[in-house]
Amino acid sequence: MFQLIRQHQLDIMLALSAACVTMALMLLITQFLSKKRKWILIAMELTATFLLYFDRLAYLYSGNLTKTGYVMVRVSNFFVFFLTATVVFVYNIYVRDLLYDRAGLTDSPVRLKIVSVACIVEMFMVILSQFTGFYYSFDIYNKYHRGPGFLICYVVPVVCPLIVYTVIIQYRKSFSKFIFTALTLYTFVPIVIGVIQIYAYGISIVNMAMVVVSISLYFFTYLDINAAVMEAHRMEMLRLQEEKKSIKRLFDQTANAFVKAVEMKDDYSKGHSLRVADIAKQIARKAGKTEEQCDEVYYSALLHDVGNIGLPDSLVTRSGNLTDSEKELLKEKPVIGGEILSSITEYPFLKEGARYSYERFDGKGYPEGLSGEEIPDVARIISVADAYDSMSTTKKSRSALPLQTIREEFINNAGSQFDPDYSNIILDLIDTNINANENKEVEELEKGIRCDGYRSAVTVGIPIVENITKITFDCERINEGSEFSAPSIVIFDSFDNRVHSDKKAIDAYRYCEYGEMWFDGHFVSTGVKNEDITVLDRDDGESETTDHYKILSVRYEDHVLIKLYNGKTMVSSILATGDKSRSVYIALTGENCILKNISEEFTLTGINMDECRRIADEVSYIERMEADVPNVQVDRPMSAYSEGLRIVDGLAIDFHAMSLPTASLVWHCPYVLLFSSDDGKVGGPNFKDYVLIKLNGEASPTDDEIENRFEMKKTSNFEGWDVWKTICKEGFECEVEFSRKGNKVIARSDTLGIYLEDELTLKDPKQEIYASLTGDQVALTDIRVH
């Protein structure tokens, strides 16, 4: 390797010198360095350039006996030794400048001052050596020879950089990784090469190394500049993002303040716009919109009702029927809102939300009568969210509607009032809320109530379930006179677990009262099929005080057992509701009394069949002819399933379906479950359900990893949902057809004008898939397979 360098070192020196000059010129036009540091780096590059240039001249004129050769050999070697010390001196200045800038020093460390002095002394020694031959001398042939003090000249280029490096290490955290790497290379590469140079006479590898590290210093400086620029860019982006968030917060606060001012007109409207905005954003997110689009939907929904500000207060707060002129005036609200928001030109979607959210999907809305996708997307979302909040909150004229009723409204109006795609999304959100309500504890039970008159106060319902529920309370008379005073219980069912007396609420919450019972055994039946009530002496061994009451309740299918304890008396009652589909609740009430210290306890103890004997025949709606598969009665959502049928290409299932007498909603109809299991049974080994298809036109994929495509449309045979429910009660024939090609399973049905098609794409084309019939409050009979 050394031989190769000897042969080509003059060319190498020239190339490295040219590279250094190029780096110096590049530094000269650099804009991202301070003026002082730029000139220091240029000085380092030029010093290294001249060092190598004069070293090359020394080799070129070595042995040249002409007058020019005589002069050039001496001048060249002088500058080689002199510039070697100069390189260290300028490097020392560079490190000092870095410390001033990066470490915040105001004075140079003592070690760097020592290095500066050592470099100056070295330069003086080089000058002195020209007269003494201490470092080097020349023979009569004009050849260079090392002098007796040659090794001393290596003290500065070897020891001084090490001293400087101790300072660098001390302030290591002040330098970037690129600068630290460059300084490390600049320190140690020449030292290592210098040691080799002692034993490699005749080549200038140290000076070449000095030039190479000088060039590397340029590149690492640029890497550091690039990193600094990137960091500055990152900080600037963070600042811009923070400014954007700040502007968004300001806009949000301004919009909310404006909305609150508009909603001050009507107490029942307070919070409406914010709730609509939250719901609309959920719909948008579930529809796959970007976060930016979701924000657009949110703020459009927040401001969709600003047109109220241009309407008379009397109209905004009006409840009940409106006159024709008032209806026409109300139709001006979206126009006014659109005009108000049209001045916000940066956000045109705000105007669209306000102006078009009262359009209908079928074109029967206002103000322009747009239909389908002519209506802006944001307005179609707001229309769904607005309707949901209006139905789910209390108004002057009515209480909030139950989720089941709201759900049915969206099914009934999908494709007419609402965009069917966004209707399906709100149905999913409603189902999530219904499931959450079913999985959590019922509404918190009151700790006490005061009943001044008969049923003037009633607690929330406490569910009667398959395990024993214990309820206790204390009762205090309000009047000690002759007026009747006693607690009682109401046995009932409703969507919201509450007792209702208003006709609208009874219809909305599907309220059904089975009867009312007192602790002396008196019972008023309003809905049970049969009852068996016995008054006995108390046998539970607990307190027999007359102001303390206890209730035990349990359910088995369509029968409930309720025991009432007070004083020395126990009332045991068996009630046959005649219906396994409905829930059963107990609510506490009374007359001229105060109920205190009310508590409930759900136990893990099951029913004693000897105590809760059957007092009415079980009602069956499947005592019809059976065909290929046994009949199934589904009393509650998916509480029973037919046998699983393996799906092959061309499979068809025909059956008769009839909704049970208690059915009242459009989805109280047959369902088809597609699943897999080792034994072909629902719930069998390795059971996995894929999609639940409801023949009223809904599909609920249960596996997010499986691709599922669902299509529903109403054909010309569809006569409306009221007719649908009527025919379901009367009974009708159904057919579900299947096709299978490889990993695709397709189910089709056309039931009472509801055409649906579901395409399931499996990961494994060999996976066996089964279909099972189920439903909600429906009897499935005469099931035929072909």
Side-chain angles (χ1 to χ4, degrees):
M1 179 178 178
F2 290 134
Q3 185 60 34
L4 181 65
I5 294 174
R6 282 193 181 95
Q7 290 176 357
H8 302 284
Q9 71 171 337
L10 295 180
D11 294 333
I12 295 172
M13 287 178 177
L14 186 62
L16 290 175
S17 296
C20 261
V21 171
T22 303
M23 299 302 108
L25 292 174
M26 293 293 289
L27 283 166
L28 190 62
I29 61 175
T30 298
Q31 300 295 319
F32 296 103
L33 285 172
S34 66
K35 185 176 181 181
K36 183 179 180 182
R37 186 169 307 158
K38 180 167 68 172
W39 284 109
I40 292 173
L41 286 169
I42 290 174
M44 292 177 70
E45 296 295 339
L46 291 178
T47 302
T49 299
F50 285 119
L51 172 64
L52 203 57
Y53 175 74
F54 282 113
D55 199 12
R56 183 174 182 274
L57 289 178
Y59 279 97
L60 283 174
Y61 287 100
S62 178
N64 189 324
L65 299 178
T66 66
K67 186 176 181 181
T68 300
Y70 180 86
V71 173
M72 290 304 300
V73 165
R74 283 156 180 76
V75 171
S76 298
N77 280 281
F78 167 76
F79 277 110
V80 167
F81 281 83
F82 189 85
L83 290 176
T84 299
T86 305
V87 167
V88 178
F89 182 77
V90 178
Y91 172 62
N92 191 56
I93 294 174
Y94 175 70
V95 172
R96 185 177 62 189
D97 184 65
L98 284 175
L99 291 174
Y100 287 164
D101 180 48
R102 303 289 176 91
L105 300 186
T106 57
D107 189 25
S108 177
V110 174
R111 281 166 289 176
L112 296 188
K113 293 179 179 179
I114 293 173
V115 169
S116 295
V117 172
C119 291
I120 293 171
V121 170
E122 172 64 14
M123 295 175 195
F124 177 76
M125 290 292 293
V126 172
I127 295 172
L128 188 63
S129 178
Q130 304 306 302
F131 305 100
T132 63
F134 186 66
Y135 284 162
Y136 59 86
S137 62
F138 301 95
D139 60 17
I140 58 174
Y141 300 105
N142 205 24
K143 294 280 187 177
Y144 164 89
H145 294 279
R146 292 176 178 177
F150 173 77
L151 292 179
I152 297 176
C153 74
Y154 273 87
V155 171
V156 167
V158 172
V159 176
C160 286
L162 291 175
I163 296 174
V164 173
Y165 195 73
T166 62
V167 178
I168 294 170
I169 291 296
Q170 181 180 349
Y171 295 96
R172 165 70 182 88
K173 294 182 179 179
S174 301
F175 305 118
S176 70
K177 62 179 180 180
F178 297 114
I179 294 298
F180 181 75
T181 302
L183 296 176
T184 301
L185 292 175
Y186 206 94
T187 301
F188 289 103
V189 169
I191 292 175
V192 172
I193 299 300
V195 173
I196 298 173
Q197 176 74 82
I198 296 172
Y199 304 99
Y201 188 76
I203 56 175
S204 296
I205 54 177
V206 171
N207 293 338
M208 293 182 192
M210 294 288 286
V211 173
V212 169
V213 293
S214 295
I215 294 172
S216 71
L217 185 62
Y218 168 84
F219 284 108
F220 279 109
T221 298
Y222 261 84
L223 289 174
D224 181 63
I225 291 172
N226 185 65
V229 170
M230 292 297 293
E231 178 64 16
H233 175 71
R234 187 183 70 84
M235 295 301 295
E236 180 66 14
M237 292 302 297
L238 288 175
R239 186 183 66 80
L240 291 174
Q241 289 173 6
E242 187 57 38
E243 285 183 1
K244 184 178 179 180
K245 290 178 182 178
S246 179
I247 293 171
K248 184 178 177 181
R249 284 194 298 269
L250 178 61
F251 178 77
D252 183 77
Q253 292 166 4
T254 304
N256 275 283
F258 183 45
V259 167
K260 286 180 181 178
V262 174
E263 292 179 345
M264 289 294 288
K265 288 188 171 188
D266 181 18
D267 289 340
Y268 286 89
S269 295
K270 291 179 179 178
H272 167 70
S273 295
L274 185 59
R275 292 192 299 271
V276 171
D278 288 335
I279 297 163
K281 190 170 185 178
Q282 290 182 55
I283 295 173
R285 185 173 286 126
K286 203 167 180 65
K289 306 289 186 186
T290 65
E291 197 59 32
E292 183 178 353
Q293 290 172 324
C294 289
D295 285 340
E296 291 179 1
V297 169
Y298 176 86
Y299 287 109
S300 298
L302 185 66
L303 296 169
H304 81 285
D305 263 350
V306 297
N308 278 335
I309 202 170
L311 299 179
D313 292 357
S314 58
L315 184 58
V316 175
T317 59
R318 177 78 176 273
S319 62
N321 296 326
L322 300 176
T323 65
D324 291 341
S325 61
E326 287 174 331
K327 289 179 181 177
E328 289 303 313
L329 184 58
L330 190 62
K331 290 181 180 179
E332 291 297 313
K333 182 174 78 169
V335 178
I336 296 170
E339 289 177 353
I340 292 172
L341 297 175
S342 63
S343 59
I344 308 178
T345 55
E346 290 295 320
Y347 304 129
F349 51 85
L350 297 177
K351 178 189 72 175
E352 293 178 350
R355 184 174 180 85
Y356 300 112
S357 60
Y358 289 91
E359 300 284 0
R360 288 172 55 100
F361 200 74
D362 57 9
K364 297 179 180 179
Y366 58 90
E368 297 181 19
L370 302 181
S371 64
E373 295 189 0
E374 293 177 347
I375 306 169
D377 195 49
V378 65
R380 282 179 274 149
I381 295 175
I382 294 171
S383 176
V384 172
D386 184 44
Y388 174 83
D389 185 70
S390 295
M391 288 187 282
S392 62
T393 54
T394 299
K395 303 294 182 184
K396 279 184 180 180
S397 57
R398 61 158 175 81
S399 299
L401 299 179
L403 289 176
Q404 292 87 343
T405 302
I406 298 172
R407 190 182 194 283
E408 188 172 52
E409 283 296 313
F410 280 109
I411 292 175
N412 291 346
N413 292 288
S416 55
Q417 182 177 353
F418 308 114
D419 183 316
D421 292 333
Y422 296 131
S423 293
N424 288 334
I425 291 175
I426 197 68
L427 289 177
D428 288 341
L429 294 174
I430 291 172
D431 289 342
T432 301
N433 287 335
I434 292 175
N435 293 333
N437 290 337
E438 289 178 350
N439 293 331
K440 71 179 183 181
E441 293 184 0
V442 296
E443 186 179 349
E444 186 176 355
L445 178 65
E446 297 90 338
K447 299 300 180 183
I449 58 172
R450 181 186 178 94
C451 303
D452 291 303
Y454 173 64
R455 283 169 70 159
S456 61
V458 186
T459 67
V460 68
I462 304 163
I464 301 178
V465 294
E466 286 73 17
N467 292 329
I468 294 174
T469 301
K470 177 181 177 182
I471 307 166
T472 60
F473 63 92
D474 297 323
C475 182
E476 177 185 319
R477 290 176 61 94
I478 292 179
N479 298 313
E480 295 294 339
S482 58
E483 291 186 4
F484 176 78
S485 174
S488 62
I489 63 171
V490 181
I491 302 101
F492 71 99
D493 177 38
S494 73
F495 283 159
D496 66 343
N497 309 349
R498 286 284 187 181
V499 173
H500 295 283
S501 57
D502 178 74
K503 186 179 185 307
K504 288 184 178 180
I506 289 173
D507 292 339
Y509 292 97
R510 307 299 198 271
Y511 178 72
C512 172
E513 187 170 313
Y514 296 109
E516 184 174 1
M517 185 180 298
W518 283 261
F519 283 76
D520 59 0
H522 181 62
F523 178 69
V524 176
S525 174
T526 53
V528 297
K529 188 175 181 181
N530 197 7
E531 71 266 4
D532 184 353
I533 301 174
T534 307
V535 181
L536 304 168
D537 291 335
R538 188 166 185 166
D539 60 357
D540 62 345
E542 295 186 11
S543 171
E544 297 181 354
T545 58
T546 56
D547 60 350
H548 185 71
Y549 294 79
K550 182 175 77 170
I551 305 170
L552 298 179
S553 66
V554 69
R555 176 177 181 172
Y556 177 70
E557 293 186 345
D558 59 346
H559 281 50
V560 294
L561 171 64
I562 302 174
K563 292 184 178 182
L564 308 181
Y565 295 86
N566 175 243
K568 296 182 179 181
T569 304
M570 188 262 295
V571 177
S572 178
S573 58
I574 301 173
L575 307 178
T577 64
D579 181 8
K580 292 187 286 186
S581 300
R582 287 186 175 275
S583 300
V584 184
Y585 297 91
I586 290 176
L588 304 180
T589 184
E591 184 177 0
N592 296 316
C593 60
I594 299 174
L595 307 187
K596 304 182 295 183
N597 304 320
I598 302 173
S599 68
E600 61 181 329
E601 178 185 351
F602 296 95
T603 71
L604 297 177
T605 306
I607 192 170
N608 185 333
M609 297 304 298
D610 293 334
E611 290 188 279
C612 189
R613 64 190 184 282
R614 181 169 286 281
I615 59 174
D617 293 336
E618 183 177 359
V619 179
S620 175
Y621 298 95
I622 57 174
E623 293 179 352
R624 294 168 53 97
M625 178 180 64
E626 287 192 348
D628 300 324
V629 176
N631 298 337
V632 181
Q633 180 169 317
V634 190
D635 295 298
R636 301 175 71 80
M638 296 169 288
S639 59
Y641 296 86
S642 73
E643 291 180 359
L645 300 170
R646 187 170 68 88
I647 296 177
V648 295
D649 192 38
L651 173 70
I653 306 174
D654 297 337
F655 58 95
H656 183 272
M658 182 182 72
S659 297
L660 303 185
T662 54
S664 59
L665 301 168
V666 296
W667 60 86
H668 290 161
C669 65
Y671 304 165
V672 180
L673 177 68
L674 303 188
F675 70 97
S676 65
S677 68
D678 292 346
D679 59 2
K681 296 179 180 179
V682 175
N686 294 315
F687 169 77
K688 186 175 183 61
D689 54 338
Y690 294 105
V691 62
L692 180 69
I693 305 168
K694 301 178 181 180
L695 296 195
N696 67 301
E698 298 180 69
S700 302
T702 55
D703 190 339
D704 294 335
E705 297 181 359
I706 298 295
E707 181 182 346
N708 191 81
R709 180 188 61 82
F710 180 74
E711 176 188 356
M712 185 277 277
K713 62 182 178 182
K714 298 172 184 175
T715 69
S716 58
N717 294 326
F718 182 70
E719 300 182 62
W721 290 109
D722 289 336
V723 175
W724 163 277
K725 289 193 286 186
T726 300
I727 296 177
C728 285
K729 285 287 185 72
E730 295 171 351
F732 59 100
E733 290 296 319
C734 300
E735 181 180 44
V736 182
E737 298 176 340
F738 298 90
S739 61
R740 175 154 191 183
K741 302 293 183 184
N743 65 338
K744 292 189 181 296
V745 177
I746 300 175
R748 298 183 182 88
S749 174
D750 190 347
T751 305
L752 304 180
I754 298 295
Y755 174 82
L756 57 85
E757 179 176 304
D758 186 274
E759 181 181 279
L760 180 68
T761 303
L762 302 169
K763 291 182 177 179
D764 182 3
K766 296 181 179 180
Q767 176 71 56
E768 296 285 0
I769 300 296
Y770 297 86
S772 175
L773 301 180
T774 181
D776 187 359
Q777 299 189 39
V778 65
L780 308 174
T781 58
D782 192 19
I783 304 173
R784 289 147 284 151
V785 182
H786 59 88

